[in-house]
Amino acid sequence: MVSFVPSDPKNTAQNLLVKRSGVARSTELLFTTVGLAARFPKGESGQYLEVEVPHPNVIEKMYLSAVAIREHFYLLAGEESPKDRLYKALSSHPSARLTELRLAWRLKSIEHALSSDQSISKSHMERAFNVLANPALKESFDRIRFDDDALPLFPYGGYGSILVEGRLVEDGKAFIGNRILAFKPEMAEKKVSILLRSCEFLPDRIVCHDSRRKLEVWLDGGLLPGLNWDPSWNNWKHWIRSRLEVEATFVTSAKERLEQGERIVSKWCVALPSRLRVVVPEGLMADIVGARAFHALLGRHADLIRQIAAQIESHPAEHSLVEKWFRDFNAEPGLRPQHVSWQPDHDEFCFEELRKRSKTWFLFRDEYLFVWHKILIAEIPALGHATYIFSRPANLEEFMAAYGKTERDDVRRNRHDVASRLGFIGRVVRGQRKMRWLNDVLKRAGEQVEVGDTPDWPGASG
């Protein structure tokens, strides 16, 4: 006989099912939402993982046996289970890289759909791929398949809904789980835009680790055909401008860090490798080739750039003077004056729209000073920086001498009346639309606005 006993009628997040077999001892089933499942306590309970119960009512704590985790997630069900069962599920090998695992997963999925042999379910194959594609889980599996006493990781750190068989402890406040019947992680479908230069290039994968959005995505050669990267790309990746559009199923995971000796746990979203789609932009290869070449160009002229950068730290230098310095030192034709202070997040559209309308322009610290017909513009062409606009000075040399002794914050706050003396008109705060920003600048300059629009700034969508 089986009876269903809700722990609390007002809280459906946790329910207790009691299954009675007619003998003195009963077996309980618990269905509940769970949180962090990351640590095995030491001591007598060392083989039981403590699992957070975020909505405790009758049950306040839950413990899962290491055996239950091994059997459910790693398909290691006692001595009769093959020690390499996850690899067998994909017809793969322990030395296989992520690209090879993805290919194996795709082939087995097709084979499974066409075959009448259903001895291994598609869910088991998907579980095998998602475990083996995760470096930490693969290491855990390789460890526990050779060592029965090794403690397994709970995949992705918990967070989800679980149905587990076990027993209540004597006080009725804790549950000991000896068998996992079902687990559904906390999941969400997301579309995200990933800036390739913010990723880390590893031998078998590209890791996109976004601490602001708390997202993590792993990409491999099976998702990016023809992109033959290696770890040396990390030296010049900051010049890559392309973005990848990713659609994925993200599971809630846990990340730990130590802060002043205290263990801090935060929730992240990690893309499941089996449910990952990537849209590669046109021009990606050209962007990569250009980024590598630009990095090499700057490297060959590093000493010259450093000397000029020191000069413009205190005195604005007109672009024609910088060009003369380049010629004097036989710089390559591809080196441009703006490259002295160019940064990876600088936007060419912003720079070129201001430069082409200029009578002349100057380099100063990390800014570019553009002299128009009626105004002078101080610009750092990157997101997070506003465009500063001044009336065009009657004496440009005096303006540059005075501006060289000020900071942007001095102008903004008009310290010592500097904004008034320099003829400060105002700031144009850059939003997400390029043309809107440009038209706001043109209006301040008394020039005709332009019709049309362009895509967002690189990085505007995060």
mmCIF file of all heavy atoms in Angstrom, residues 285-306:
data_model
loop_
_atom_site.group_PDB
_atom_site.id
_atom_site.type_symbol
_atom_site.label_atom_id
_atom_site.label_comp_id
_atom_site.label_asym_id
_atom_site.label_seq_id
_atom_site.Cartn_x
_atom_site.Cartn_y
_atom_site.Cartn_z
ATOM 1 N N MET A 285 36.243 35.125 -39.702
ATOM 2 C CA MET A 285 37.617 34.763 -40.015
ATOM 3 C C MET A 285 38.450 35.998 -40.385
ATOM 4 O O MET A 285 39.607 36.124 -39.985
ATOM 5 C CB MET A 285 37.652 33.740 -41.146
ATOM 6 C CG MET A 285 37.074 32.379 -40.750
ATOM 7 S SD MET A 285 37.792 31.689 -39.232
ATOM 8 C CE MET A 285 39.523 31.573 -39.682
ATOM 9 N N ALA A 286 37.840 36.919 -41.151
ATOM 10 C CA ALA A 286 38.557 38.153 -41.508
ATOM 11 C C ALA A 286 38.868 38.975 -40.270
ATOM 12 O O ALA A 286 39.948 39.581 -40.153
ATOM 13 C CB ALA A 286 37.725 38.963 -42.495
ATOM 14 N N ASP A 287 37.926 39.001 -39.325
ATOM 15 C CA ASP A 287 38.133 39.728 -38.074
ATOM 16 C C ASP A 287 39.288 39.120 -37.291
ATOM 17 O O ASP A 287 40.155 39.838 -36.751
ATOM 18 C CB ASP A 287 36.843 39.694 -37.259
ATOM 19 C CG ASP A 287 36.954 40.452 -35.944
ATOM 20 O OD1 ASP A 287 37.800 41.372 -35.858
ATOM 21 O OD2 ASP A 287 36.197 40.131 -35.012
ATOM 22 N N ILE A 288 39.353 37.803 -37.232
ATOM 23 C CA ILE A 288 40.403 37.114 -36.493
ATOM 24 C C ILE A 288 41.775 37.359 -37.136
ATOM 25 O O ILE A 288 42.762 37.652 -36.448
ATOM 26 C CB ILE A 288 40.084 35.613 -36.402
ATOM 27 C CG1 ILE A 288 38.907 35.398 -35.437
ATOM 28 C CG2 ILE A 288 41.297 34.819 -35.945
ATOM 29 C CD1 ILE A 288 38.378 33.998 -35.413
ATOM 30 N N VAL A 289 41.822 37.262 -38.463
ATOM 31 C CA VAL A 289 43.081 37.518 -39.167
ATOM 32 C C VAL A 289 43.537 38.958 -38.928
ATOM 33 O O VAL A 289 44.713 39.227 -38.660
ATOM 34 C CB VAL A 289 42.918 37.242 -40.677
ATOM 35 C CG1 VAL A 289 44.140 37.729 -41.446
ATOM 36 C CG2 VAL A 289 42.699 35.758 -40.922
ATOM 37 N N GLY A 290 42.593 39.902 -39.004
ATOM 38 C CA GLY A 290 42.927 41.302 -38.778
ATOM 39 C C GLY A 290 43.383 41.568 -37.357
ATOM 40 O O GLY A 290 44.308 42.360 -37.128
ATOM 41 N N ALA A 291 42.749 40.916 -36.373
ATOM 42 C CA ALA A 291 43.128 41.104 -34.969
ATOM 43 C C ALA A 291 44.548 40.625 -34.715
ATOM 44 O O ALA A 291 45.348 41.295 -34.050
ATOM 45 C CB ALA A 291 42.144 40.361 -34.063
ATOM 46 N N ARG A 292 44.881 39.467 -35.261
ATOM 47 C CA ARG A 292 46.229 38.935 -35.068
ATOM 48 C C ARG A 292 47.270 39.834 -35.744
ATOM 49 O O ARG A 292 48.326 40.108 -35.182
ATOM 50 C CB ARG A 292 46.308 37.514 -35.625
ATOM 51 C CG ARG A 292 47.658 36.879 -35.452
ATOM 52 C CD ARG A 292 47.660 35.363 -35.480
ATOM 53 N NE ARG A 292 46.602 34.772 -36.233
ATOM 54 C CZ ARG A 292 46.289 33.477 -36.192
ATOM 55 N NH1 ARG A 292 46.969 32.676 -35.403
ATOM 56 N NH2 ARG A 292 45.310 32.986 -36.907
ATOM 57 N N ALA A 293 46.950 40.317 -36.951
ATOM 58 C CA ALA A 293 47.883 41.181 -37.675
ATOM 59 C C ALA A 293 48.072 42.518 -36.958
ATOM 60 O O ALA A 293 49.191 43.050 -36.887
ATOM 61 C CB ALA A 293 47.381 41.411 -39.103
ATOM 62 N N PHE A 294 46.972 43.074 -36.406
ATOM 63 C CA PHE A 294 47.061 44.353 -35.703
ATOM 64 C C PHE A 294 47.896 44.213 -34.438
ATOM 65 O O PHE A 294 48.715 45.089 -34.113
ATOM 66 C CB PHE A 294 45.657 44.858 -35.377
ATOM 67 C CG PHE A 294 45.630 46.227 -34.762
ATOM 68 C CD1 PHE A 294 46.070 47.329 -35.472
ATOM 69 C CD2 PHE A 294 45.156 46.420 -33.475
ATOM 70 C CE1 PHE A 294 46.049 48.598 -34.912
ATOM 71 C CE2 PHE A 294 45.129 47.680 -32.903
ATOM 72 C CZ PHE A 294 45.578 48.774 -33.626
ATOM 73 N N HIS A 295 47.723 43.119 -33.732
ATOM 74 C CA HIS A 295 48.514 42.869 -32.527
ATOM 75 C C HIS A 295 50.000 42.790 -32.876
ATOM 76 O O HIS A 295 50.855 43.344 -32.160
ATOM 77 C CB HIS A 295 48.062 41.566 -31.875
ATOM 78 C CG HIS A 295 48.791 41.210 -30.625
ATOM 79 N ND1 HIS A 295 48.631 41.874 -29.441
ATOM 80 C CD2 HIS A 295 49.726 40.239 -30.372
ATOM 81 C CE1 HIS A 295 49.396 41.353 -28.508
ATOM 82 N NE2 HIS A 295 50.080 40.364 -29.052
ATOM 83 N N ALA A 296 50.306 42.126 -33.985
ATOM 84 C CA ALA A 296 51.707 42.015 -34.411
ATOM 85 C C ALA A 296 52.262 43.377 -34.825
ATOM 86 O O ALA A 296 53.423 43.702 -34.529
ATOM 87 C CB ALA A 296 51.812 41.017 -35.569
ATOM 88 N N LEU A 297 51.434 44.188 -35.506
ATOM 89 C CA LEU A 297 51.862 45.525 -35.921
ATOM 90 C C LEU A 297 52.235 46.382 -34.715
ATOM 91 O O LEU A 297 53.288 47.031 -34.693
ATOM 92 C CB LEU A 297 50.754 46.193 -36.730
ATOM 93 C CG LEU A 297 50.990 47.639 -37.170
ATOM 94 C CD1 LEU A 297 52.086 47.693 -38.226
ATOM 95 C CD2 LEU A 297 49.690 48.269 -37.691
ATOM 96 N N LEU A 298 51.363 46.389 -33.708
ATOM 97 C CA LEU A 298 51.655 47.167 -32.505
ATOM 98 C C LEU A 298 52.901 46.638 -31.789
ATOM 99 O O LEU A 298 53.677 47.410 -31.226
ATOM 100 C CB LEU A 298 50.454 47.136 -31.560
ATOM 101 C CG LEU A 298 49.160 47.788 -32.059
ATOM 102 C CD1 LEU A 298 48.106 47.757 -30.954
ATOM 103 C CD2 LEU A 298 49.393 49.217 -32.521
ATOM 104 N N GLY A 299 53.084 45.338 -31.815
ATOM 105 C CA GLY A 299 54.259 44.758 -31.170
ATOM 106 C C GLY A 299 55.557 45.182 -31.831
ATOM 107 O O GLY A 299 56.557 45.454 -31.150
ATOM 108 N N ARG A 300 55.544 45.243 -33.163
ATOM 109 C CA ARG A 300 56.766 45.636 -33.876
ATOM 110 C C ARG A 300 57.118 47.102 -33.652
ATOM 111 O O ARG A 300 58.269 47.508 -33.866
ATOM 112 C CB ARG A 300 56.592 45.363 -35.375
ATOM 113 C CG ARG A 300 56.562 43.872 -35.729
ATOM 114 C CD ARG A 300 56.684 43.661 -37.218
ATOM 115 N NE ARG A 300 55.551 44.169 -37.964
ATOM 116 C CZ ARG A 300 54.441 43.474 -38.245
ATOM 117 N NH1 ARG A 300 54.322 42.226 -37.802
ATOM 118 N NH2 ARG A 300 53.461 44.006 -38.947
ATOM 119 N N HIS A 301 56.134 47.906 -33.244
ATOM 120 C CA HIS A 301 56.372 49.334 -33.023
ATOM 121 C C HIS A 301 56.157 49.721 -31.561
ATOM 122 O O HIS A 301 55.872 50.880 -31.251
ATOM 123 C CB HIS A 301 55.440 50.167 -33.916
ATOM 124 C CG HIS A 301 55.669 49.949 -35.389
ATOM 125 N ND1 HIS A 301 55.091 48.921 -36.064
ATOM 126 C CD2 HIS A 301 56.424 50.633 -36.290
ATOM 127 C CE1 HIS A 301 55.458 48.964 -37.340
ATOM 128 N NE2 HIS A 301 56.272 49.989 -37.503
ATOM 129 N N ALA A 302 56.287 48.752 -30.673
ATOM 130 C CA ALA A 302 55.969 48.986 -29.256
ATOM 131 C C ALA A 302 56.816 50.105 -28.657
ATOM 132 O O ALA A 302 56.300 50.957 -27.906
ATOM 133 C CB ALA A 302 56.149 47.693 -28.464
ATOM 134 N N ASP A 303 58.119 50.144 -28.963
ATOM 135 C CA ASP A 303 58.982 51.176 -28.376
ATOM 136 C C ASP A 303 58.592 52.569 -28.869
ATOM 137 O O ASP A 303 58.535 53.531 -28.081
ATOM 138 C CB ASP A 303 60.446 50.895 -28.724
ATOM 139 C CG ASP A 303 60.980 49.659 -28.018
ATOM 140 O OD1 ASP A 303 60.380 49.273 -26.988
ATOM 141 O OD2 ASP A 303 61.977 49.095 -28.492
ATOM 142 N N LEU A 304 58.318 52.689 -30.161
ATOM 143 C CA LEU A 304 57.921 53.982 -30.721
ATOM 144 C C LEU A 304 56.601 54.448 -30.134
ATOM 145 O O LEU A 304 56.453 55.623 -29.749
ATOM 146 C CB LEU A 304 57.826 53.872 -32.240
ATOM 147 C CG LEU A 304 57.318 55.105 -32.999
ATOM 148 C CD1 LEU A 304 58.204 56.316 -32.716
ATOM 149 C CD2 LEU A 304 57.227 54.820 -34.490
ATOM 150 N N ILE A 305 55.642 53.550 -30.045
ATOM 151 C CA ILE A 305 54.327 53.896 -29.487
ATOM 152 C C ILE A 305 54.471 54.340 -28.038
ATOM 153 O O ILE A 305 53.838 55.311 -27.603
ATOM 154 C CB ILE A 305 53.363 52.699 -29.622
ATOM 155 C CG1 ILE A 305 52.992 52.491 -31.096
ATOM 156 C CG2 ILE A 305 52.113 52.909 -28.776
ATOM 157 C CD1 ILE A 305 52.179 51.243 -31.361
ATOM 158 N N ARG A 306 55.312 53.653 -27.280
ATOM 159 C CA ARG A 306 55.499 54.014 -25.868
ATOM 160 C C ARG A 306 56.095 55.408 -25.738
ATOM 161 O O ARG A 306 55.686 56.192 -24.875
ATOM 162 C CB ARG A 306 56.386 52.978 -25.188
ATOM 163 C CG ARG A 306 56.564 53.218 -23.695
ATOM 164 C CD ARG A 306 57.263 52.078 -23.004
ATOM 165 N NE ARG A 306 58.601 51.866 -23.532
ATOM 166 C CZ ARG A 306 58.960 50.823 -24.280
ATOM 167 N NH1 ARG A 306 58.048 49.897 -24.585
ATOM 168 N NH2 ARG A 306 60.195 50.687 -24.715
#
